[in-house]
Amino acid sequence: MSFDPNAFLIITTGSMIAISCGLLGVFLMLRKMAMTGDAISHAVLPGIVIAFLVSGSRHGLTMVIGAGLVGIIATVFIEYLSNKAKLQSDASIGITFTSLFAIGIIMITFLANEIDLDQDCVLYGEIAYVPIDLWITGTGKIMGPRVTYLSLINMVLVIGFVTVFFKELKISTFDKEFAATIGLSTVGVNYALMGMVSYTTVSSFEAVGAILVVALMVVPPATAYLWTKNLYKLIRLTVILGVVISFLGYYLAYFLNSSIAGAMATVAGFFFFTTVILQHKQIPRIKKKLAKAKPSIK
Amino acid sequence: MEEFIYFFSFQDPNVLMVVTGIVLLSISTAMVGTFTFLDKKALVGDAISHAVLPGVCLAFMLSGSKNPYWIVSGAFVTGALSTYAITWVSNYTKLKEDTVIASVLSIFFGVGIVMMTQLQQTGNASLSGLDHFIFGNAISIVGQDLWVYGFLALAIIIVILLFYKEFQLMVFNRSFAESIGLPVKRLEFLFNSLMVLAVVTGIQAIGVVLMAALLITPAAAAKFWTNRLSIMLLIAVIFSVISGIVGAYISFVLPHMPTGPWVVIVLSLIAFLSFFFSTKKGILTKWIAKRNYQRKIHRDHILKALFAANEKGKEGLATPDVHANFPGKSFRTQSAINKLEKNNYITESQSVISLTQQGLKEAGRIVRLHRLWELYMTEYMNIAPDHVHDSAEKLEHIITPELEKQLDKNLNFPQEDPHQSIIPRDQDKS
């Protein structure tokens, strides 16, 4: 197989997105907030549309701010419903994200003629466009693929966030009471994390779509968690898995001629289910069953 | 307006069909959803609704058309597979259920999207409208599809009504259900199948992404109005039917509008109104009750302060002194004073507040409750007299007249509290 610059670009971009998502996903999973991540990725939609209306472009800071704000509002809302209205938490998550997503879809439909934003791109995204979607400066100089830059910035920010606040994230994830006792703002850490999740969702949704962000956010950490309990190893494994998934995902999509993001989720799913089956606890159980089954065959 | 009459007079048989279909669908999902909500499985519905996508695509691939039988079967297979996967993975690994749900949901959806992009490349003309399965459009359902979906919805409703008692037991008291010999495992299987079926019947009208709302939201809203399962089911059904019809109407008037989002918007609106204004558990109701209680406490404290002054032989208290008793709450204190004056409990003249006859009686009652409780705590609970004040400070506001009588009787109509203060008696009664 010869070197294909487009494939390289797509795989690199995919890997960077997978790394950013996975790093945040590790903490989401450990905080039992996997579904909150899912909710945020749906809920940022109205933020994206409003930011699009304000700025008139699909790129740039407005989009990030708009989506980040709505993402945090969604988190606040979920907490509010479960604390103040005493609604069980899964129901408050479900209600919040479905209503925000519905609002977003309706806004898009209403503005369909005015804006270049359609429902499908929100859901699936298209990472295959990365090589042709170029960043061209005012002077006409071509700087390279835009989404790659975006995901690079995102990855740097996420890695920076996780490194700088590693201690805070770790303590507030594993021992909330202790964190509060030593004067750590657990609420602040929570919202910072949710803000990063929203930002990552937005910056990746063009490439992989809203729902597949969740696949990259939850599935690699979940798979890695089945192999290790050590936080550092968990993070390392998640990152490696992310890169492998985007590599294999690209080639799966290449051979099937299908959506790359979808193929990445499929590969992630393959790893996930294989791990579950191979899990050490599982193998003796199967062996036992086989051993039991044998005499009866005779 | 013309469209409104046209739609709701049901003169168009298509409109009538669609409305019948969506009403049946709303009823069945609301009923299934109420049980899943109470069983705390709300998000499993979300996972199922995403997981039907590969099934729908598979049905297309195999049949090459939008034949509803194929679609329902395909969707049912992958939907059921996803519930099975969720139970299996959460039972056999250390992963938390929400992580498993999110993983299964996104993996199945990813596979679905791969299949969908494959299908779109075949260029088969009969595949147009495949995206209706993502966002849903009730108006696009006609003829044969409607019969299939309508029949399924009806079947779900009938099965739930038949197994109402069993499901109720399964959700509320599983171990009891097992102990009286109900086949809980089989019932659970039946219920999961109903849940998958409910999602499957809804996907073409509501769409896979928002289908979860139809299961979760009506039940959550209904929970705020009642604690009884039968009434909760009824309320959930009513909410759901209203939103279904409104959603269908909007997508009829604005043809490019998908139905799903509008149904969800109406449902969410009803839900949020319930959360805030429900007469039992609404946020607003609770807030008002809390505020009223705090006002009552504040009023009681002002009266007590005046009573204490009275006991020391003073005619009344200077207004600034009353305010000084409650630092930082002068606004609230002033409004409490105004209210007391209006109720004729106190009079204010030349910046001195004094109790009226009626006010003295009311203040005496509060002080009596306080002191009775203090005495009760020392006599019956053996708590040292210097530790009983805080408890009495809370209880003096909520002891009912019946309880007061009981206390008085049990303590043998005492004259003094543990601190040797005289317990004020109501002169009218004795």
Side-chain angles (χ1 to χ4, degrees):
Chain A
M1 214 180 297
S2 61
F3 178 77
D4 179 354
N6 284 350
F8 175 74
L9 265 180
I10 292 171
I11 293 172
T12 315
T13 313
S15 306
M16 290 194 293
I17 293 173
I19 291 171
S20 332
C21 291
L23 282 178
L24 297 172
V26 165
F27 292 100
L28 282 180
M29 177 188 71
L30 293 174
R31 295 165 89 96
K32 301 186 189 78
M33 291 176 87
M35 283 313 282
T36 315
D38 179 42
I40 287 180
S41 69
H42 286 75
V44 292
L45 189 56
I48 290 172
V49 181
I50 292 170
F52 194 89
L53 278 182
V54 173
S55 69
S57 106
R58 268 166 71 159
H59 330 121
L61 205 61
T62 338
M63 205 74 141
V64 171
I65 296 172
L69 276 180
V70 177
I72 290 178
I73 290 174
T75 322
V76 174
F77 216 73
I78 291 170
E79 307 248 315
Y80 181 78
L81 282 185
S82 44
N83 292 336
K84 275 279 150 67
K86 302 271 180 257
L87 194 63
Q88 57 197 51
S89 68
D90 56 346
S92 29
I93 291 175
I95 291 178
T96 309
F97 90 77
T98 49
S99 40
L100 283 171
F101 192 76
I103 292 172
I105 294 289
I106 287 174
M107 285 164 104
I108 290 181
T109 325
F110 261 120
L111 305 165
N113 304 324
E114 291 161 46
I115 59 175
D116 169 33
L117 198 70
D118 67 0
Q119 301 168 352
D120 292 355
C121 100
V122 175
L123 276 182
Y124 327 129
E126 196 37 271
I127 203 171
Y129 291 147
V130 165
I132 41 173
D133 182 6
L134 298 173
W135 174 31
I136 301 166
T137 57
T139 53
K141 202 176 162 204
I142 295 171
M143 300 293 287
R146 194 178 49 81
V147 178
T148 310
Y149 282 109
L150 274 183
S151 48
L152 179 68
I153 297 171
N154 185 14
M155 187 180 71
V156 171
L157 277 176
V158 170
I159 292 178
F161 172 74
V162 172
T163 322
V164 172
F165 294 105
F166 188 72
K167 196 182 68 190
E168 283 80 359
L169 279 169
K170 195 169 81 175
I171 298 175
S172 68
T173 300
F174 291 109
D175 198 339
K176 215 172 175 178
E177 281 78 27
F178 176 66
T181 323
I182 60 168
L184 192 69
S185 164
T186 48
V187 181
V189 174
N190 194 25
Y191 287 136
L193 182 64
M194 291 307 128
M196 287 309 286
V197 170
S198 319
Y199 163 60
T200 306
T201 307
V202 180
S203 79
S204 341
F205 99 108
E206 262 184 83
V208 294
I211 293 163
L212 296 174
V213 170
V214 183
L216 295 177
M217 229 170 238
V218 187
V219 185
T223 313
Y225 192 47
L226 292 174
W227 292 107
T228 180
K229 269 188 167 174
N230 181 304
L231 182 59
Y232 297 94
K233 279 188 192 160
L234 180 61
I235 289 175
R236 225 173 297 149
L237 257 176
T238 305
V239 169
I240 294 170
L241 265 174
V243 176
V244 174
I245 284 168
S246 55
F247 184 82
L248 292 179
Y250 173 79
Y251 284 104
L252 179 68
Y254 181 82
F255 287 119
L256 290 176
N257 195 12
S258 71
S259 148
I260 298 173
M264 282 169 74
T266 310
V267 172
F270 172 75
F271 282 128
F272 177 72
F273 284 114
T274 314
T275 309
V276 172
I277 293 168
L278 286 182
Q279 246 240 321
H280 348 296
K281 278 182 196 163
Q282 206 76 9
I283 295 170
R285 213 176 298 237
I286 294 167
K287 273 186 186 162
K288 227 186 228 170
K289 267 193 183 168
L290 284 176
K292 263 188 198 167
K294 261 179 195 166
S296 64
I297 294 166
K298 276 179 187 174
Chain B
M1 198 61 212
E2 250 172 66
E3 277 166 327
F4 185 82
I5 294 166
Y6 181 78
F7 185 85
F8 284 101
S9 61
F10 305 123
Q11 37 184 291
D12 185 336
N14 271 337
V15 170
L16 183 63
M17 291 260 278
V18 167
V19 170
T20 318
I22 207 150
V23 165
L24 283 175
L25 165 73
S26 309
I27 297 173
S28 65
T29 48
M31 287 173 93
V32 174
T34 305
F35 285 103
T36 47
F37 173 85
L38 293 171
D39 209 12
K40 301 205 164 59
K41 274 190 185 159
L43 289 174
V44 177
D46 188 28
I48 296 175
S49 61
H50 284 80
V52 297
L53 187 63
V56 170
C57 292
L58 200 69
F60 268 103
M61 283 179 174
L62 293 175
S63 72
S65 70
K66 277 195 288 184
N67 180 327
Y69 298 105
W70 278 93
I71 289 180
V72 165
S73 325
F76 184 80
V77 168
T78 50
L81 203 63
S82 73
T83 30
Y84 182 70
I86 290 171
T87 331
W88 182 62
V89 176
S90 15
N91 281 347
Y92 285 108
T93 65
K94 59 181 171 182
L95 293 175
K96 295 280 174 304
E97 198 176 23
D98 70 321
T99 309
V100 179
I101 292 176
S103 303
V104 169
L105 177 160
S106 52
I107 292 167
F108 273 76
F109 199 75
V111 174
I113 284 176
V114 168
M115 294 168 94
M116 200 155 184
T117 42
Q118 290 269 288
L119 275 173
Q120 277 161 350
Q121 278 154 16
T122 60
N124 188 337
S126 68
L127 294 181
S128 70
L130 195 62
D131 54 335
H132 283 158
F133 288 98
I134 302 242
F135 297 107
N137 197 342
I139 298 300
S140 76
I141 311 175
V142 278
Q144 199 188 7
D145 309 2
L146 204 74
W147 285 110
V148 176
Y149 295 133
F151 172 76
L152 282 176
L154 202 63
I156 296 170
I157 297 169
I158 292 170
V159 174
I160 289 193
L161 290 177
L162 280 179
F163 286 89
Y164 177 77
K165 272 226 161 68
E166 283 81 0
F167 287 152
Q168 188 180 12
L169 266 180
M170 190 183 84
V171 168
F172 287 114
N173 201 341
R174 212 193 151 86
S175 37
F176 177 67
E178 271 164 357
S179 71
I180 59 165
L182 279 179
V184 175
K185 278 257 154 64
R186 255 181 282 170
L187 275 175
E188 198 156 54
F189 179 76
L190 174 68
F191 183 73
N192 281 343
S193 313
L194 286 181
M195 184 157 69
V196 178
L197 263 188
V199 172
V200 169
T201 52
I203 44 169
Q204 202 172 348
I206 309 298
V208 294
V209 184
L210 291 170
M211 197 53 218
L214 242 74
L215 286 175
I216 304 170
T217 316
K223 186 74 187 52
F224 277 76
W225 297 100
T226 177
N227 277 329
R228 285 183 61 94
L229 177 64
S230 51
I231 299 172
M232 189 178 157
L233 271 173
L234 190 70
I235 295 175
V237 164
I238 292 170
F239 286 168
S240 177
V241 167
I242 292 173
S243 341
I245 293 177
V246 173
Y249 172 69
I250 290 173
S251 64
F252 171 77
V253 180
L254 307 166
H256 61 286
M257 274 290 167
T259 316
W262 280 108
V263 175
V264 174
I265 296 270
V266 179
L267 258 184
S268 308
L269 200 70
I270 295 176
F272 288 126
L273 290 178
S274 306
F275 298 160
F276 282 98
F277 302 111
S278 96
T279 42
K280 260 188 183 165
K281 301 170 200 157
I283 295 172
L284 194 76
T285 323
K286 275 196 232 160
W287 182 77
I288 290 174
K290 194 177 158 195
R291 202 193 50 168
N292 283 348
Y293 180 63
Q294 277 169 344
R295 280 192 181 166
K296 179 174 157 18
I297 290 177
H298 204 72
R299 184 200 77 140
D300 287 1
H301 285 166
I302 293 175
L303 285 175
K304 261 170 58 185
L306 290 166
F307 189 85
N310 214 316
E311 273 188 322
K312 282 178 196 149
K314 282 187 215 160
E315 194 50 39
L317 276 179
T319 315
D321 287 349
V322 175
H323 278 280
N325 269 342
F326 310 100
K329 289 183 186 169
S330 64
F331 179 76
R332 227 201 250 178
T333 309
Q334 192 53 51
S335 83
I337 290 173
N338 293 344
K339 196 133 188 243
L340 281 169
E341 213 174 347
K342 218 171 108 195
N343 288 344
N344 213 11
Y345 281 144
I346 55 173
T347 51
E348 191 176 4
S349 60
Q350 289 165 353
S351 275
V352 172
I353 300 174
S354 48
L355 287 166
T356 61
Q357 205 55 38
Q358 200 186 347
L360 195 68
K361 209 169 115 186
E362 173 68 8
R365 187 185 68 86
I366 299 160
V367 172
R368 180 167 66 249
L369 291 178
H370 182 104
R371 290 179 182 166
L372 273 176
W373 186 257
E374 283 192 341
L375 193 62
Y376 174 74
M377 291 296 273
T378 46
E379 297 251 312
Y380 278 77
M381 302 291 178
N382 277 329
I383 294 173
D386 50 343
H387 281 95
V388 292
H389 179 77
D390 287 343
S391 158
E393 198 71 0
K394 283 177 198 140
L395 267 298
E396 67 191 17
H397 309 290
I398 46 180
I399 291 177
T400 57
E402 293 81 27
L403 208 60
E404 182 193 344
K405 244 181 229 164
Q406 191 72 36
L407 276 174
D408 227 356
K409 204 174 132 200
N410 284 7
L411 293 165
N412 205 11
F413 305 97
Q415 296 296 316
E416 283 181 349
D417 77 350
H419 311 292
Q420 282 78 45
S421 305
I422 289 166
I423 294 175
R425 291 284 161 196
D426 203 335
Q427 302 305 325
D428 304 347
K429 274 186 202 161
S430 52

